[in-house]
Amino acid sequence: MTETPGAHPTEPARPTGSDLHLDLPAGGGRRAALMSALREAIRSGRLAPGTRLPPYRALAADLGLARNTAAEAYAELVAEGWLTARQGSGTTVAERAAPAPPARARRPAPQPGPAHDLRQGQPDAASFPRTAWLAAARRALTAAPNEAFGPGRPQGRPELRSALADYLARARGVRTDPDRIVICSGFAHALRLLFDGATPVLPPAEQGPLAVEAYGLGFHRGLLAAAGVPTVPLPIDEQGARVGELAHHPDVRTALLTPAHQFPTGGPLHAARRAAVVDWARGCGGLLLEDDYDGEFRYDRQPVGAVQGLDPERVVYLGSVSKSLSPALRLGWMVLPDHLVDRVLAAKGEREAWAGALDQLTLAEFIDSGGYDRHVRRMRRRYRDRRDRLVAALAASAPHLEVSGIAAGLHAVVRLDAGTEREVLRAATRRGLALDGLADFRHPAVTPEAMPTADGLVVGYATPPDHAYPAALAALCAVLPAAA
């Protein structure tokens, strides 16, 4: 019997089977017990055909048996046809008829995805910088201190916090230092830390109802509702959220805004309103939560700086790589006023349970090496081209429809006549086109008196692969209503 490790040169590699768990039945001889346990493991399917068994010496040591006992058991099972042994291949489970698996309830077949996907919120997955990211990961692992492979720190790796402090100051106008940055897994995780913990993070003066924009993600409103936080909608117009309305809600001490690019209607918060909302927070002892949604992707001029730069003690700045790189990385950050850092760390717990240290180290290296800047610039050009093709297609086929929110981000809004949105979405579904309607993002408490109802489509232009984008645009144009 051979014990030569490694697969036969002409055969595909098999599972090595280096560790093998066997329960030897009590009573009788040890060789018979080992043979019985191996037969049962093979008969039940736990040892699949082709699985390589450990060398008999290793198995004997693991089970506390004599080497001859294990060798003789292997030899007899080979003779019986349960095992095979070949020079250069070791001992493997024979390629014999496997037992029929137990009957299982039939699962429903997965539903096919849409033929064309123009939903908002997803970056171009095919453009993830795999080669550059892998190179950054190798450099980061080589330079990582040994303690990086121990339990994670709740504040996040110092390498990433330092890289972010420099990058956010340079690219977004954020005023901070690494000690005021807490790493999280994304924007939703940040909201949970602030509002959904057993111990309130916000001081009593900043608790109470939360002001939000009249249009936004229902998922975020649902998260806040589950945490027992009521939301008060602020109407929006072409200059962003009407923050002057905060004066009519004296019980509100905290507001959540998307100043760089209002989601989903588009457009930055006007400079006068940026200053006004900071003054409001100072005056009432409140807090502004700044969701830097799509902050990197501005096409017609330089990105708008962060509101946080106006008053770092009254603004919590929230960002992530979910749009700039990939939501699969699960990496985000909170830039906090000094009085909230310890409170947020207490909410996270003693050890990091969300963001892996290796991804944090890689992102830090990716930023420090300039790879992140190069990727963002490349994607800015790519998405701007996508946007231009969308605008051109709409201008050619539906010039009567207004297109807004195109100066930044990964989506545009196509305005529709009142009462037509649902029918257009039904027509899109019939053509296999996935779209979001503007009404789906409207806060349920917004009244027509506070803000007129608007029909429209939120068209994401980042998701389709290049080869599928023309067909997706054609499908979109085909379902748009003709001029009245």
Side-chain angles (χ1 to χ4, degrees), residues 102-111:
R104 294 188 300 179
R106 178 173 296 180
R107 294 189 178 98
Q111 296 298 312

Side-chain angles (χ1 to χ4, degrees), residues 12 22 42 94 107 162 211 215 231 258 299 315 322 331 360 372 435:
L22 293 173
I42 297 169
R107 294 189 178 98
S162 178
Y215 281 84
T231 54
T258 53
Y299 308 124
V315 181
S322 64
L331 283 176
Q360 292 184 55
Y372 186 71
L435 279 174

Side-chain angles (χ1 to χ4, degrees), residues 22-40 63 65 69 73:
L22 293 173
D23 288 322
L24 302 188
R30 304 303 286 164
R31 177 169 57 82
L34 175 57
M35 292 174 60
S36 176
L38 285 169
R39 287 193 197 97
E40 178 57 29
L63 299 178
L65 303 175
T69 299

Side-chain angles (χ1 to χ4, degrees), residues 284-308:
C284 70
L287 193 68
L288 173 64
L289 308 182
E290 179 177 11
D291 178 5
D292 195 27
Y293 188 86
D294 287 344
E296 298 91 349
F297 297 122
R298 190 155 193 91
Y299 308 124
D300 301 323
R301 59 184 175 86
Q302 287 296 312
V304 179
V307 173
Q308 189 267 1

Side-chain angles (χ1 to χ4, degrees), residues 7 63 65 79 82 122-124 138 166 179 192 205 244 253 256-257 276 401 411 425 436 442 447 482:
L63 299 178
L65 303 175
W82 292 92
Q122 296 292 330
D124 179 8
R138 286 172 174 160
D166 292 342
D179 290 340
R192 289 189 174 98
R253 293 289 187 275
L256 169 61
L257 302 178
L401 297 180
H411 70 269
L425 290 175
D436 292 311
R442 188 180 178 96
T447 63

Side-chain angles (χ1 to χ4, degrees), residues 398-466:
H400 56 288
L401 297 180
E402 176 191 356
V403 185
S404 62
I406 61 173
L410 306 182
H411 70 269
V413 176
V414 180
R415 303 286 179 169
L416 300 174
D417 292 336
T420 63
E421 179 181 313
R422 291 294 110 188
E423 179 52 40
V424 171
L425 290 175
R426 285 192 289 268
T429 300
R430 291 192 292 269
R431 293 187 66 95
L433 172 62
L435 279 174
D436 292 311
L438 186 59
D440 292 335
F441 301 97
R442 188 180 178 96
H443 194 291
V446 177
T447 63
E449 294 77 21
M451 183 178 176
T453 301
D455 278 25
L457 303 173
V458 181
V459 182
Y461 46 78
T463 302
D466 281 342

Side-chain angles (χ1 to χ4, degrees), residues 101-466:
R104 294 188 300 179
R106 178 173 296 180
R107 294 189 178 98
Q111 296 298 312
H116 313 289
D117 193 349
L118 291 177
R119 289 172 292 193
Q120 62 76 37
Q122 296 292 330
D124 179 8
S127 295
F128 183 82
R130 301 184 191 209
T131 301
W133 184 262
L134 180 59
R138 286 172 174 160
R139 294 193 301 270
L141 284 173
T142 300
N146 292 336
E147 55 86 15
F149 301 94
R153 304 177 185 181
Q155 192 162 1
R157 289 299 308 173
E159 298 90 343
L160 179 55
R161 292 187 285 110
S162 178
L164 284 171
D166 292 342
Y167 172 78
L168 294 174
R170 170 172 53 83
R172 305 296 300 122
V174 170
R175 294 162 53 196
T176 190
D177 58 65
D179 290 340
R180 293 170 63 156
I181 296 177
V182 174
I183 303 302
C184 56
S185 68
F187 181 78
H189 183 209
L191 281 188
R192 289 189 174 98
L193 288 172
L194 290 171
F195 296 104
D196 199 20
T199 303
V201 168
L202 300 184
E206 297 163 5
Q207 295 176 21
L210 176 68
V212 298
E213 293 161 331
Y215 281 84
L217 280 174
F219 167 69
H220 293 159
R221 292 194 297 267
L223 189 155
L224 292 165
V229 180
T231 54
V232 176
L234 296 176
I236 58 176
D237 56 27
E238 66 279 359
Q239 295 184 351
R242 285 158 39 188
V243 297
E245 300 289 325
L246 289 166
H248 304 309
H249 301 281
D251 55 339
V252 170
R253 293 289 187 275
T254 305
L256 169 61
L257 302 178
T258 53
H261 183 228
Q262 201 288 318
F263 178 84
T265 61
L269 186 64
H270 190 274
R273 294 185 181 180
R274 292 157 67 89
V277 74
V278 171
D279 288 342
W280 164 82
R282 290 170 177 164
C284 70
L287 193 68
L288 173 64
L289 308 182
E290 179 177 11
D291 178 5
D292 195 27
Y293 188 86
D294 287 344
E296 298 91 349
F297 297 122
R298 190 155 193 91
Y299 308 124
D300 301 323
R301 59 184 175 86
Q302 287 296 312
V304 179
V307 173
Q308 189 267 1
L310 300 177
D311 193 337
E313 290 304 318
R314 288 296 166 193
V315 181
V316 174
Y317 177 89
L318 307 169
S320 78
V321 297
S322 64
K323 302 296 186 297
S324 58
L325 278 170
S326 168
L329 290 177
R330 310 307 305 149
L331 283 176
W333 47 85
M334 311 170 70
V335 180
L336 296 162
D338 187 64
H339 72 281
L340 289 183
V341 173
D342 288 341
R343 288 171 172 264
V344 169
L345 292 179
K348 284 196 77 175
E350 294 184 2
R351 294 185 178 182
E352 174 59 64
W354 297 83
L358 301 186
D359 280 343
Q360 292 184 55
L361 290 169
T362 302
L363 180 57
E365 170 61 26
F366 198 51
I367 293 172
D368 285 339
S369 67
Y372 186 71
D373 284 274
R374 289 190 291 273
H375 173 72
V376 168
R377 287 196 297 270
R378 180 171 66 91
M379 296 312 298
R380 194 180 291 139
R381 293 190 297 269
R382 186 180 185 88
Y383 292 144
R384 182 171 56 217
D385 176 70
R386 289 284 188 97
R387 179 207 64 175
D388 291 347
R389 293 164 66 184
L390 169 65
V391 171
L394 293 173
S397 62
H400 56 288
L401 297 180
E402 176 191 356
V403 185
S404 62
I406 61 173
L410 306 182
H411 70 269
V413 176
V414 180
R415 303 286 179 169
L416 300 174
D417 292 336
T420 63
E421 179 181 313
R422 291 294 110 188
E423 179 52 40
V424 171
L425 290 175
R426 285 192 289 268
T429 300
R430 291 192 292 269
R431 293 187 66 95
L433 172 62
L435 279 174
D436 292 311
L438 186 59
D440 292 335
F441 301 97
R442 188 180 178 96
H443 194 291
V446 177
T447 63
E449 294 77 21
M451 183 178 176
T453 301
D455 278 25
L457 303 173
V458 181
V459 182
Y461 46 78
T463 302
D466 281 342

